[in-house]
Amino acid sequence: MTAAWNADRARAIIDNHRGLRGALLPILHAVQEEFGYVDAAAIPLLAEALNLSQADVHGVISFYHEFRHTRPGRHVVKICVAEACQARGSAALVDYLKTKLGIGLGETAADGSFTLEAVYCLGNCALGPSAQVDERLLGRLSPARIDGALA
Ligand code: FES
């Protein structure tokens, strides 16, 4: 479970990483790991700490699809839509998940239960189609196996 957004905690994370070369990306990953997303309020903190413009920070967050802009659901389902998994039927699984969860890619269910995300390779290509449910990597997926994982 991730923590609620807290500016003081975010400042501490920034201070712990700001000395790294190319510190912005490691900080963004650490912030997302802590809170589950990168709150917009982190942008001015990052800009000031790293001597960047807020537009620069925003641009990096927007460029990398792995950074979320809103708090995710209690469970995050990442379905691989890269080439090898596409060839093994991931598009049909995406449709299945959209219908089952009632949300689109990049969306969170209104009750906060699930977030559905597309990813571009989970390093499990030979066993595709692949997905990750929270920390659990799944391969050779079918609707029945997904149902089992979500239950
Ligand atoms: S292409 Fe899906 S895991 Fe690599």
Side-chain angles (χ1 to χ4, degrees), residues 38 68 80:
V38 180
R68 299 187 193 100
C80 178

Side-chain angles (χ1 to χ4, degrees), residues 59-117:
V60 170
I61 294 169
S62 301
F63 180 79
Y64 291 98
H65 296 291
E66 68 255 41
F67 295 124
R68 299 187 193 100
H69 304 262
T70 55
R71 190 167 177 74
R74 290 185 294 282
H75 301 287
V76 177
V77 181
K78 298 177 179 178
I79 179 98
C80 178
V81 296
E83 196 172 338
C85 286
Q86 287 272 5
R88 294 170 190 256
S90 67
L93 286 172
V94 169
D95 289 341
Y96 180 77
L97 281 166
K98 284 179 175 175
T99 302
K100 180 178 176 68
L101 301 176
I103 51 177
L105 289 173
E107 294 179 356
T108 297
D111 66 359
S113 54
F114 287 98
T115 294
L116 180 60
E117 297 178 340

Side-chain angles (χ1 to χ4, degrees), residues 80-86 119-126 128-131 137:
C80 178
V81 296
E83 196 172 338
C85 286
Q86 287 272 5
V119 292
Y120 299 88
C121 198
L122 290 162
N124 196 42
C125 316
S130 302
L137 180 63

